[in-house]
């Protein structure tokens, strides 16, 4: 180490040139490593930055609300391991009190929706619902016979949170073909619900009439079962849990009987198609993968260039130091000792070059630690291998020949 340090000082001009070459090389390598690391990170974080959502629609994709989605498909979507944030809704007509089919005129005055999440009411925000002490937003995922009423209905009926009310429910029947909505059909004549919350929303964005009552979806489905009526949802949407498993998700939905949207298909109210909003994600993922493939494909060439530059720098340095090598050998230093001294010189030069680039990068935080570590390790390893290959050629050098030429 001491001898290598002295040689560095003695040949400082040449070593400065060698260090400058090393600095340029590691800067270029660092740019390559940053691009590679950035591309990998972008690809890994793409599902968070660009979600893939889907909704059930009719076959020509013209409607994703007010359609007929069978209970079998509703259960299939809910059980799919590839999806999350599943939202279902079913539209209802309601009225206070118990009344028969003949008495529905003048009593069936309120629009309602059964949902499993408030996202089933477009534009409704969590802060726009005030819950009673025993309840919160999780009630929509349960089966309790509770309801949420809008502020105007609460005022009109003189109700308060926690009150029990009797409500008659009617459901819509959607035609499977091109026929529209049939007459409202009785579901239950007078069922007791507890007022669990009050809603007051201002930015409704749905296409159907804004609901004045909300019910937990499962509580309404339970009524359908009790009455022996087949339940259908009128809208369904979800988010793909892992967009990189998009093909597995599509295969699962295909097994449930969902078709791809066919724009020129006849109009129908049957909810048997799936609209996947995945085009942007697929394009972004393909672009990033192509970039990553290109960068990783360049890696062997980058390594070869580093080895060559390391070999060339070391070779040019030792050409003018053959006499010094012969002197060290002539005073009794073994070849291995001479090789180690000169290799340590190269290591010190390149370590200094590496520090000159890495230290500012670390202090400014402009480069990730992973990219910096990768580029520094690759630079030092390949340069040392190149230097070792160059110094190995000294083994065949005749000390007597060098001494004769020197004199």
């Amino acid at each position: 180490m001491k001898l290598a340090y002295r040689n560095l000082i003695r040949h400082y001009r040449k070593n400065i040139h060698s260090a400058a070459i090393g600095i340029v090389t590691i800067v270029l390598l660092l740019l390559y490593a940053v691009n590679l690391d950035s591309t990998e990170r972008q690809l890994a974080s793409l599902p968070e930055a660009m979600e893939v959502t889907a909704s059930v629609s009719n076959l020509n994709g013209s409607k994703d609300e007010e359609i007929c989605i069978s209970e079998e498909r509703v259960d299939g979507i809910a059980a799919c391991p590839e999806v999350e944030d599943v939202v279902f809704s079913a539209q209802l007509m309601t009225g206070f009190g118990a009344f028969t089919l003949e008495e529905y005129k003048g009593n069936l005055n309120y629009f309602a929706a059964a949902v499993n999440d408030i996202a089933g009411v477009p534009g409704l925000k969590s802060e726009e619902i005030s819950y009673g002490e025993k309840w919160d937003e999780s009630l929509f995922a349960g089966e309790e016979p509770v309801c949420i009423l809008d502020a105007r209905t609460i005022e009109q009926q003189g109700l308060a949170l926690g009150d029990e009310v009797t409500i008659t429910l009617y459901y819509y029947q959607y035609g499977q073909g091109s026929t529209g909505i049939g007459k409202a059909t009785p579901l239950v004549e007078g069922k007791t619900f507890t007022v669990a919350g009050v809603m007051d929303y201002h930015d409704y964005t749905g296409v159907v009439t804004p609901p004045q009552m909300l019910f937990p979806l499962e509580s309404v489905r339970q009524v359908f079962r009790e009455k022996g009526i087949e339940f259908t949802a009128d809208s369904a949407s979800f988010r793909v849990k892992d967009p990189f498993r998009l093909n597995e998700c599509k295969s699962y939905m295909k097994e449930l009987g969902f078709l791809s949207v066919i724009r020129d298909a006849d109009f129908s109210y049957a909810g048997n198609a799936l609209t996947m909003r995945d085009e942007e994600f697929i394009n972004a993922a393909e672009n990033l993968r192509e970039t990553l493939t290109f960068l990783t494909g360049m890696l062997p060439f980058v390594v070869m260039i580093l080895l060559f530059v390391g070999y060339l720098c070391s070779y040019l340095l030792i050409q003018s130091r053959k006499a010094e090598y012969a002197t060290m050998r002539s005073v009794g230093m073994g070849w291995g000792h001479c090789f180690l001294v000169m290799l340590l010189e190269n290591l010190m030069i390149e370590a200094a070059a590496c520090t000159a680039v890495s230290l500012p990068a670390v202090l400014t935080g402009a480069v990730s630690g992973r990219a910096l570590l990768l580029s520094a390790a690759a630079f030092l390893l390949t340069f040392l291998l190149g230097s070792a290959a160059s110094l190995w050629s000294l083994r065949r050098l005749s000390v007597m020949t060098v001494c004769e030429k020197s004199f």
Side-chain angles (χ1 to χ4, degrees):
M1 289 291 293
K2 186 176 181 180
L3 183 56
Y5 177 74
R6 287 179 178 177
N7 289 341
L8 281 178
I9 301 302
R10 186 181 302 115
H11 303 286
Y12 72 92
R13 291 182 179 177
K14 295 179 180 178
N15 292 332
I16 289 175
H17 292 157
S18 181
I21 294 173
I23 289 174
V24 173
T25 303
I26 195 172
V27 167
L28 295 176
L29 181 60
L30 189 58
L31 291 175
Y32 170 80
V34 166
N35 285 329
L36 183 62
D37 181 63
S38 175
T39 303
E40 289 179 343
R41 289 178 182 273
Q42 287 181 56
L43 188 59
S45 62
L46 190 60
E48 298 178 5
M50 194 173 294
E51 296 180 348
V52 174
T53 59
S55 60
V56 178
S57 68
N58 58 357
L59 191 55
N60 65 10
S62 60
K63 290 182 73 69
D64 57 7
E65 292 184 72
E66 293 184 297
I67 54 177
C68 179
I69 308 170
S70 67
E71 187 168 15
E72 180 182 0
R73 287 173 177 163
V74 168
D75 290 335
I77 294 174
C80 179
E82 305 295 342
V83 304
E84 58 187 2
D85 298 337
V86 181
V87 179
F88 301 111
S89 71
Q91 303 302 316
L92 303 166
M93 281 294 293
T94 64
F96 288 98
F99 50 86
T100 64
L101 178 61
E102 292 75 16
E103 300 171 327
Y104 83 93
K105 290 183 178 180
N107 291 309
L108 201 64
N109 314 340
Y110 298 92
F111 292 96
V115 297
N116 68 326
D117 191 286
I118 64 168
V121 184
L124 178 61
K125 303 177 179 64
S126 297
E127 57 270 20
E128 293 175 333
I129 301 179
S130 301
Y131 297 96
E133 294 182 0
K134 300 179 181 179
W135 298 282
D136 55 30
E137 193 172 319
S138 63
L139 68 84
F140 290 106
E143 300 181 0
E144 288 187 84
V146 296
C147 63
I148 306 293
L149 305 181
D150 69 357
R152 185 177 179 181
T153 302
I154 286 277
E155 183 179 354
Q156 288 176 346
Q157 297 296 323
L159 298 172
L161 290 175
D163 288 351
E164 291 187 350
V165 293
T166 301
I167 299 175
T168 295
L169 304 178
Y170 277 54
Y171 69 99
Y172 290 114
Q173 286 185 310
Y174 297 89
Q176 291 290 328
S178 59
T179 57
I181 304 173
K183 292 182 179 180
T185 306
L187 177 60
V188 60
E189 295 178 3
K191 180 175 175 61
T192 301
F193 291 89
T194 302
V195 180
V198 182
M199 60 181 174
D200 185 15
Y201 57 95
H202 308 282
D203 299 316
Y204 181 73
T205 58
V207 298
V208 298
T209 305
Q212 297 152 296
M213 299 183 186
L214 297 180
F215 302 94
L217 184 75
E218 289 303 318
S219 68
V220 173
R221 285 183 69 182
Q222 186 62 35
V223 176
F224 273 86
R225 295 189 188 101
E226 292 172 358
K227 298 297 181 179
I229 301 173
E230 182 182 357
F231 172 81
T232 59
D234 83 307
S235 72
S237 62
F238 58 85
R239 182 166 66 91
V240 179
K241 186 182 299 184
D242 182 2
F244 290 123
R245 290 181 56 83
L246 190 58
N247 290 335
E248 288 79 359
C249 181
K250 289 182 178 180
S251 297
Y252 184 95
M253 294 301 166
K254 188 176 181 180
E255 292 177 1
L256 293 179
F258 285 110
L259 305 173
S260 299
V261 172
I262 304 173
R263 296 298 177 185
D264 57 354
D266 293 335
F267 179 83
S268 171
Y269 283 94
N272 57 359
L274 203 62
T275 301
M276 299 288 291
R277 301 172 187 87
D278 57 359
E279 185 176 352
E280 290 186 3
F281 177 85
I282 291 174
N283 291 337
E286 287 179 350
N287 291 335
L288 287 173
R289 280 171 173 161
E290 288 176 2
T291 302
L292 189 60
T293 300
F294 174 75
L295 290 173
T296 52
M298 287 181 58
L299 186 58
F301 298 100
V302 172
V303 172
M304 290 176 61
I305 291 172
L306 288 173
L307 288 170
F308 175 75
V309 173
Y311 175 85
L312 185 62
C313 288
S314 181
Y315 178 80
L316 293 176
L317 284 175
I318 66 174
Q319 290 305 304
S320 60
R321 297 179 60 185
K322 288 182 178 180
E324 181 181 346
Y325 168 77
T327 301
M328 288 190 293
R329 291 296 307 276
S330 64
V331 296
M333 289 181 64
W335 175 86
H337 195 179
C338 295
F339 174 86
L340 184 60
V341 169
M342 290 188 168
L343 188 64
L344 283 174
E345 288 182 44
N346 283 305
L347 176 59
M348 291 178 181
I349 293 171
E350 305 316 330
C354 191
T355 302
V357 175
S358 301
L359 190 59
V362 171
L363 294 177
T364 58
V367 180
S368 68
R370 182 172 179 267
L372 193 61
L373 183 62
L374 176 64
S375 58
F379 171 76
L380 291 175
L381 180 62
T382 52
F383 254 65
L384 282 178
L385 288 175
S387 299
S390 176
L391 293 170
W392 187 266
S393 63
L394 292 176
R395 188 182 182 92
R396 301 190 302 269
L397 190 65
S398 171
V399 176
M400 295 300 297
T401 302
V402 173
C403 291
E404 289 176 359
K405 290 181 180 180
S406 300
F407 292 106

